[in-house]
């Protein structure tokens, strides 16, 4: 399915490229189109615009009985903000289109928005528009976020070079672990709540900006579908391979290596740093740990070092809810 998705996006990108010619005197021009966390649009001012959209669908990304409404409101916005963070930008405006089943409890909707607005306020984002419609099949939330970044400083996925170090923020696999527990019916209130809270941390906006302003990251994206597939996307965009070390991947104690490698919804940052700049990296930024997990290599292969042995890194997609 992931291969098919890639072919589909590649085809769209070719079609968009042919039709995307901008008149020479237009004030805005597309600097980066399909294929990164955000589109980057240059403006006449000192800032570039960042634009991202993201769908959250009931039955595909979440189940209403498994996640509290406020957590879903948070997650809807967080998905968009995480893409802005991945460019090193600052989010400004959000547009939310919401399809709701006719009989939905008004309190559910209130709680959804309380989670949404709590994160919006904390992130300095204004809800500037959107749409609501009645849905015949569950809740659908489509978020669009517009952000800004100093001109020419957006960090793309395509800048990684052989020899660059590979780093991640926070820990990986926590959200997938919580999902596993829910799926198996192991809903142990205290522990699962702790895991859920962890997976709904605020997006890594300050870290993304910190890295971009100091020009430390050569490439960056957010880990939303799982480390293996997202690393594969970054490497593909950069035309490079990578080697990561299993023991180095930061994960919560109850999380397996498999979930840390392939689980989704973590919304951490994955970035590469040229070795001579890596000594300027602190262990933590704003209390969040930064961890080196491997190195960019020549070629196209993705490798994993596990128990001292090198193997090919399996690239598995995010298993939706
Ligand atoms: Mg992304």
């Amino acid at each position: 399915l992931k291969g098919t998705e890639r072919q589909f996006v590649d085809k769209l990108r070719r079609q968009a490229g042919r039709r995307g010619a901008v008149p020479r005197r237009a004030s805005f021009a597309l600097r980066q189109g399909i294929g990164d966390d955000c589109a980057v649009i240059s403006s006449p001012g000192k800032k570039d615009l960042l634009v991202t959209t993201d769908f959250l669908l009931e039955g595909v990304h979440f189940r209403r009985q498994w996640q509290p409404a406020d957590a879903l409101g948070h997650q809807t916005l967080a998905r968009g903000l995480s893409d802005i963070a991945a460019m090193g930008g600052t989010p400004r405006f959000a547009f939310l289109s919401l399809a709701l089943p006719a009989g939905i409890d008004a309190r559910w909707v209130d709680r959804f928005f309380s989670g949404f607005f709590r994160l919006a306020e904390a992130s300095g984002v204004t809800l500037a528009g959107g749409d609501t419609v009645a849905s015949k099949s569950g809740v659908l939330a489509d978020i669009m976020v517009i952000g800004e970044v100093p001109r020419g400083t957006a960090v793309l996925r395509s800048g990684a070079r052989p020899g660059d170090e590979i780093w991640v923020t926070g820990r990986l696999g926590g959200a997938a672990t919580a999902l596993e527990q829910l799926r198996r019916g192991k809903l142990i209130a205290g522990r699962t709540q702790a895991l859920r809270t962890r997976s709904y941390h605020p997006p890594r906006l300050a870290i993304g900006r910190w890295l971009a302003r100091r020009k430390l990251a050569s490439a960056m994206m957010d880990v939303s579908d799982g480390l293996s597939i997202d690393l594969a996307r970054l490497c593909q965009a950069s035309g490079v391979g990578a080697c990561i070390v299993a023991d180095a991947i930061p994960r919560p104690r109850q999380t397996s290596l498999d979930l840390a490698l392939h689980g989704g919804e973590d919304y951490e940052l994955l970035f590469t740093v040229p070795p001579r700049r890596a000594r300027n990296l602190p262990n933590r930024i704003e209390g969040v740990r930064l961890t080196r997990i491997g190195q960019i290599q020549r070629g196209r292969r993705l490798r994993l070092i596990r128990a001292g042995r090198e193997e090919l890194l399996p690239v598995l997609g995010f298993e939706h809810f």
Side-chain angles (χ1 to χ4, degrees):
L1 186 75
K2 282 293 164 186
T4 317
E5 182 189 324
R6 203 170 88 191
Q7 285 162 15
F8 174 71
V9 172
D10 282 347
K11 186 175 155 195
L12 277 180
R13 191 184 342 207
R14 285 193 298 275
Q15 290 179 323
R18 277 201 296 277
R19 282 153 208 191
V22 178
R24 201 173 292 166
R25 279 165 40 207
S27 300
F28 296 91
L30 189 62
R31 289 287 167 235
Q32 170 67 50
I34 296 168
D36 216 300
D37 293 89
C38 293
V40 183
I41 298 171
S42 66
S43 76
K46 290 178 180 164
K47 301 284 179 93
D48 290 336
L49 287 175
L50 302 173
V51 184
T52 181
T53 71
D54 213 300
F55 247 132
L56 196 67
L57 307 184
E58 183 171 1
V60 176
H61 299 102
F62 69 91
R63 291 197 189 165
R64 240 187 294 166
Q65 63 270 34
W66 282 358
Q67 273 162 292
D70 62 335
L72 283 170
H74 173 107
Q75 194 183 354
T76 297
L77 181 58
R79 286 164 74 90
L81 298 186
S82 187
D83 281 333
I84 301 281
M87 312 302 286
T90 302
R92 292 294 182 216
F93 306 105
F95 298 80
L96 174 65
S97 293
L98 204 52
L100 297 170
I104 196 163
D105 187 343
R107 284 168 304 181
W108 189 95
V109 180
D110 284 345
R111 284 198 294 268
F112 176 93
F113 276 107
S114 83
F116 184 97
F117 281 119
R118 208 182 306 136
L119 179 60
E121 264 168 48
S123 318
V125 173
T126 305
L127 180 64
D131 197 10
T132 52
V133 290
S135 157
K136 286 183 178 163
S137 56
V139 174
L140 299 82
D142 179 30
I143 187 76
M144 172 180 176
V145 180
I146 295 183
E148 61 177 53
V149 66
R151 187 162 54 199
T153 67
V155 184
L156 307 181
R157 294 179 181 183
S158 52
R161 296 295 171 256
D164 287 1
E165 298 179 359
I166 304 170
W167 289 72
V168 292
T169 61
R171 294 188 287 185
L172 301 177
T177 305
L179 177 58
E180 267 299 306
Q181 292 188 354
L182 286 161
R183 217 180 241 144
R184 290 196 198 138
K186 280 190 191 164
L187 210 158
I188 307 160
R191 279 181 60 196
T192 307
Q193 191 54 43
L195 279 164
R196 274 198 227 180
T197 311
R198 185 179 298 141
S199 55
Y200 297 126
H201 62 74
R204 305 305 192 194
L205 288 159
I207 300 178
R209 274 197 298 266
W210 197 95
L211 294 167
R213 294 294 145 77
R214 288 164 182 77
K215 301 201 186 310
L216 291 180
S218 50
M220 183 154 61
M221 68 182 295
D222 68 325
V223 186
S224 55
D225 289 347
L227 176 63
S228 64
I229 186 144
D230 287 330
L231 178 63
R233 287 168 175 153
L234 186 144
C235 286
Q236 201 214 357
S238 295
V240 295
C243 181
I244 58 173
V245 180
D247 285 342
I249 297 164
R251 53 185 157 115
R253 205 180 312 148
Q254 54 285 58
T255 295
S256 67
L257 175 65
D258 266 5
L259 287 182
L261 283 172
H262 310 301
E265 306 279 346
D266 282 314
Y267 304 112
E268 295 293 351
L269 293 178
L270 168 68
F271 58 98
T272 58
V273 184
R276 72 199 136 75
R277 290 188 221 153
R279 64 186 128 93
N280 299 323
L281 273 181
N283 290 330
R284 289 171 184 271
I285 297 176
E286 304 231 323
V288 177
R289 189 151 59 115
L290 309 184
T291 308
R292 181 185 172 187
I293 61 165
Q295 194 174 43
I296 295 292
Q297 299 182 331
R298 266 171 230 293
R300 293 299 180 107
R301 289 226 169 120
L302 300 182
R303 299 180 177 89
L304 175 69
I305 295 177
R306 190 197 311 231
R309 281 219 299 270
E310 198 177 281
E311 54 189 84
L312 283 182
L313 173 68
V315 176
L316 303 178
F318 170 47
E319 194 187 342
H320 290 303
F321 280 65

